[in-house]
Amino acid sequence: MLIVSLAIRDLFRDRFFLICNTAILVGVLVPLLLLFGVKNGVYTALLEEMLADPASLQIDTAGNTTFTEADVAPIRDWPGVAFVTPKVRSQFDYVNVRATEGRRLAAALMIPSGAGDPTLPAGVTLASDRLVVSSGLARQLNLSEGAPLQLITQAEDRPRQLVLEAQVAHVLPEQALSGRAVLAPFEVLDLIEAFYDAYSLPDHGIDGTKPLEQRVPRYGGVRVYAEHLEELAGLQARLEERLGVATLARTREVEGLLGLGRNLTLALGLTAALASVGLGAALGFAFWSDVARKKGVLASIALVGVPGRSLMLFPMVQAMITGLMGLVLSWMGYQLAGRIAQNLFGGGLPDGAALTLITPGQTMGIGVSVMALLLCVSAIAGWSVQRIDPATVLREVT
Amino acid sequence: MANMSLPCRSTCCPELTSAGLHMVDGRISLSGGGRRFEVHVPELQLDPGQALALTGASGSGKTLILEMLGLLRAPQDGTIYGVGNADLAALWQGGPRTPKLAEMRGRLFGFVPQSGGLLPFLTVRDNIALPQRVCGQPDPDWCASLIDRLGLGDQAGQYPASLSIGQRQRTAIARALSHRPRIVIADEPTSALDPASADQVLALFLETAAEQGAGVILSSHDLDRMDRHGIARRSLAVEAGPPVTSRLEAAPC
């Protein structure tokens, strides 16, 4: 297209104005990108640190209560719920664990778990004979994935111990679960509770005082995981209302972090809006004054038969090229400043976390926004160009 | 395009042909500061290959007539104006910024402004080729021929800023002829040149235009030079107002 080619040739011949306008863009965009990147980077690092511990999403009923399956089942269908598991009474959730080939015993907390539990890594499935252990327990008993182990339970006045044979399905990373713990399907914990309650467990060679068939399932509590941090507070309130019990969750901590994120986004948004107004005004007037300065040249183009509606593209094409150059240079400036900032201030962040972070989607959004702003402000200059009288060339002698 | 059959209002010319440029009862009116100024062209005919000079005192409206002829200024209602069979007066009915008006201006006319009007970011060669690109009819051979004819071979790759005034005017002339327009409009094309250069440039201009059959209409104060080059003259006579009226005198028979 002729007018595009003319606009480009004029722009690069008049490099001084291209450099000035690009410098204005870079001067505004680099600090904004850096602020945005730092806000994203630090906030994302804090969020990831929080999400690395699945307990941040957990809501746990406090103390021992009694629930039935009818109380718990509807909760599984609530929106925002990732995983629900009943719990046994708290005094029955400790067992002794021993590596089958080893001699050492370690007391460990039994935690009911299953598919959907955010504590379980993706792809790891539990069964009554395939359990997941915490890194602390694995270290103490020298357990690794695939190792056989035994859960040993001893109750008062019971001549025999309950010994459950199982295999290590997975060893959790340190930050996922602290202390000595075993993740097992609820049925395993239910079996141990039945043993404590003196029921007979013929499959495990245990003679009790009551037949197992007489046992009515009762839950000592319930543990719920929210899908996202944003749903934690609402879910906790709803759970307490539904079950009529107090619950424990890291709601204050989570809400504090989320509130910080919202406030930073708001402050940055206001800063960006003000900067956009200033940038738009500066470049708008720059493009306008530029076409006023080139009125004679533009009139010469119109004189040879280029219609006004094509001529108005002249400053708009130049604005788009200026914008692209400004964006590329700003991105390079941001990357450089980000690396310097990472070296200077990145030490306080969790390992591997970036101080500055802008995702590809955000990059695309910023680019489109800047180009749209430039298109709008250059359209004003374009409007003035299409009104230039080509007769100016004959009338005004330069 | 509407076929035009123009009525003859001239007592001197018995018939206006439609082969070249023709205007009958062309009028422009300007007003400002409580004063009105009118320019009246009772009739004007320019045949292909013919050259005509508009003469008159400064402020007599020569440039206004060139603007009206070059589709740069709207004539008043009642003006009959055409080139060949094209009714150019009717083009203004859609307003001053229609693409059709710009397209016809670009296709039918070539312009040689007093200032040259060259684009500073294009080389001499690209400036000359510009009207061809606007019309969508690139013809590099013709451009090369014009460059050669007007003695611009050494400057073809240079930018206007590095040219002398004479070289700029020769470039402007080549540009005005490059798309083979029917009419070339030149506003005092040699006024910035020294006398020797002015004669040389004007001679080249007229020869080149005549070779391709383009009509040339120009404005000038230099009556002797017009006569030396055999250019027919039509002068503008200003009558006191109000309104002050500048009238193009009848063609000599």
Side-chain angles (χ1 to χ4, degrees):
Chain A
M1 198 174 176
L2 175 65
I3 197 68
V4 174
S5 132
L6 294 178
I8 291 171
R9 291 186 71 164
D10 175 61
L11 185 68
F12 286 98
R13 179 186 166 275
D14 225 353
R15 286 185 291 274
F16 180 72
F17 283 85
L18 174 63
I19 292 166
C20 285
N21 290 339
T22 306
I24 292 172
L25 261 172
V26 172
V28 173
L29 286 181
V30 170
L32 276 182
L33 286 172
L34 199 59
L35 276 176
F36 186 58
V38 168
K39 178 254 161 190
N40 269 357
V42 173
Y43 183 60
T44 303
L46 291 173
L47 271 183
E48 281 177 356
E49 192 176 37
M50 183 167 269
L51 285 171
D53 183 358
S56 300
L57 292 163
Q58 176 187 299
I59 305 164
D60 208 348
T61 52
N64 282 328
T65 51
T66 304
F67 300 123
T68 63
E69 179 60 23
D71 295 319
V72 175
I75 299 170
R76 294 192 174 93
D77 299 325
W78 287 2
V81 170
F83 177 64
V84 177
T85 179
K87 299 193 302 179
V88 295
R89 283 165 286 163
S90 60
Q91 63 269 38
F92 303 134
D93 56 7
Y94 263 91
V95 293
N96 287 315
V97 182
R98 183 173 68 189
T100 304
E101 304 300 326
R103 298 180 62 185
R104 292 182 60 191
L105 277 176
L109 178 67
M110 291 291 289
I111 298 173
S113 181
D117 184 347
T119 316
L120 281 182
V124 176
T125 51
L126 291 176
S128 55
D129 59 348
R130 282 180 58 80
L131 311 178
V132 168
V133 298
S134 68
S135 62
L137 181 63
R139 194 166 48 246
Q140 198 162 348
L141 296 181
N142 200 22
L143 292 171
S144 59
E145 199 171 313
L149 57 78
Q150 291 176 326
L151 304 180
I152 302 164
T153 308
Q154 177 69 62
E156 285 181 24
D157 306 325
R158 305 297 295 274
R160 283 195 65 175
Q161 293 176 322
L162 172 66
V163 179
L164 301 173
E165 301 284 346
Q167 201 177 28
V168 177
H170 185 75
V171 178
L172 290 172
E174 190 73 45
Q175 69 271 22
L177 192 60
S178 59
R180 297 188 302 269
V182 178
L183 295 187
F186 176 75
E187 294 71 33
V188 176
L189 282 90
D190 197 41
L191 186 70
I192 294 169
E193 190 179 48
F195 171 72
Y196 276 116
D197 287 342
Y199 284 97
S200 295
L201 304 172
D203 291 348
H204 300 279
I206 302 294
D207 293 326
T209 57
K210 297 174 274 186
L212 190 59
E213 296 75 33
Q214 289 180 3
R215 187 165 183 264
V216 179
R218 286 278 188 275
Y219 303 143
V222 64
R223 206 169 77 246
V224 176
Y225 283 95
E227 272 185 296
H228 306 104
L229 291 174
E230 290 79 0
E231 287 145 351
L232 185 71
L235 204 55
Q236 184 183 22
R238 190 176 177 191
L239 199 64
E240 289 186 350
E241 190 184 336
R242 159 87 184 177
L243 300 177
V245 294
T247 60
L248 303 171
R250 295 181 182 172
T251 313
R252 183 179 292 181
E253 213 177 311
V254 168
E255 283 300 299
L257 182 60
L258 294 176
L260 174 70
R262 280 191 293 270
N263 290 339
L264 285 174
T265 301
L266 182 65
L268 193 63
L270 287 172
T271 307
L274 282 173
S276 300
V277 170
L279 182 66
L283 289 179
F285 283 116
F287 294 137
W288 201 355
S289 66
D290 200 28
V291 297
R293 191 174 56 86
K294 292 173 181 164
K295 198 171 109 182
V297 170
L298 293 163
S300 291
I301 299 173
L303 186 71
V304 296
V306 174
R309 68 179 61 166
S310 295
L311 205 59
M312 77 177 289
L313 294 177
F314 192 90
M316 295 169 80
V317 167
Q318 295 191 337
M320 291 298 94
I321 293 167
T322 307
L324 281 174
M325 281 187 64
L327 280 170
V328 169
L329 290 175
S330 297
W331 186 253
M332 290 165 68
Y334 157 73
Q335 291 287 352
L336 181 66
R339 282 185 191 181
I340 294 169
Q342 181 79 31
N343 287 335
L344 291 176
F345 312 114
L349 292 172
D351 286 346
L355 179 65
T356 56
L357 176 70
I358 299 180
T359 64
Q362 289 168 335
T363 305
M364 192 67 78
I366 291 166
V368 169
S369 304
V370 170
M371 295 302 273
L373 176 72
L374 291 186
L375 199 62
C376 289
V377 298
S378 65
I380 299 169
W383 176 81
S384 73
V385 166
Q386 58 102 26
R387 300 182 70 81
I388 285 177
D389 182 0
T392 309
V393 187
L394 295 185
R395 234 173 283 139
E396 293 177 6
V397 180
T398 53
Chain B
M1 313 285 175
N3 281 325
M4 293 179 61
S5 176
L6 297 172
C8 181
R9 302 188 188 186
S10 167
T11 54
C12 179
C13 302
E15 187 182 350
L16 286 173
T17 67
S18 61
L21 176 151
H22 39 265
M23 175 173 277
V24 177
D25 206 15
R27 286 177 189 273
I28 306 171
S29 178
L30 296 180
S31 55
R35 293 171 54 191
R36 235 178 92 207
F37 179 62
E38 282 190 3
V39 177
H40 183 209
V41 180
E43 60 76 27
L44 180 65
Q45 170 89 24
L46 185 72
D47 293 326
Q50 186 189 350
L52 176 69
L54 303 181
T55 60
S58 292
S60 60
K62 299 185 294 295
T63 303
L64 279 176
I65 292 177
L66 294 183
E67 288 177 9
M68 180 168 61
L69 294 173
L71 297 180
L72 296 165
R73 184 175 289 275
Q76 285 185 350
D77 289 345
T79 298
I80 295 170
Y81 176 39
V83 170
N85 290 326
D87 181 358
L88 301 186
L91 290 174
W92 290 94
Q93 287 168 5
R97 279 185 277 275
T98 60
K100 186 71 184 165
L101 196 64
E103 185 205 330
M104 288 300 274
R105 182 172 61 242
R107 199 153 57 83
L108 290 177
F109 297 97
F111 294 90
V112 184
Q114 196 174 343
S115 59
L118 302 177
L119 301 188
F121 50 84
L122 295 184
T123 61
V124 165
R125 182 182 291 108
D126 290 341
N127 261 293
I128 292 170
L130 182 64
Q132 294 181 353
R133 293 176 69 192
V134 173
C135 296
Q137 295 168 336
D139 187 350
D141 291 342
W142 177 234
C143 277
S145 169
L146 283 170
I147 288 170
D148 186 47
R149 184 86 179 79
L150 288 155
L152 292 165
D154 292 340
Q155 291 78 39
Q158 293 180 17
Y159 288 90
S162 63
L163 302 180
S164 69
I165 294 173
Q167 288 167 338
R168 284 185 210 176
Q169 282 308 91
R170 278 186 277 149
T171 305
I173 288 166
R175 187 183 66 176
L177 292 165
S178 76
H179 57 305
R180 302 176 192 273
R182 304 275 284 276
I183 309 292
V184 178
I185 292 174
D187 188 17
E188 303 193 28
T190 57
S191 63
L193 303 177
D194 62 79
S197 299
D199 279 330
Q200 188 193 13
V201 167
L202 189 58
L204 276 173
F205 177 28
L206 295 173
E207 280 172 32
T208 315
E211 279 170 15
Q212 70 176 65
V216 173
I217 186 158
L218 51 84
S219 65
S220 179
H221 293 285
D222 195 340
L223 305 185
D224 290 341
R225 178 163 291 115
M226 297 301 109
D227 291 342
R228 270 204 309 282
H229 289 274
I231 301 173
R233 288 192 274 121
R234 297 279 298 273
S235 66
L236 280 157
V238 180
E239 299 164 8
V244 176
T245 303
S246 181
R247 195 182 309 278
L248 188 66
E249 291 179 338
C253 292

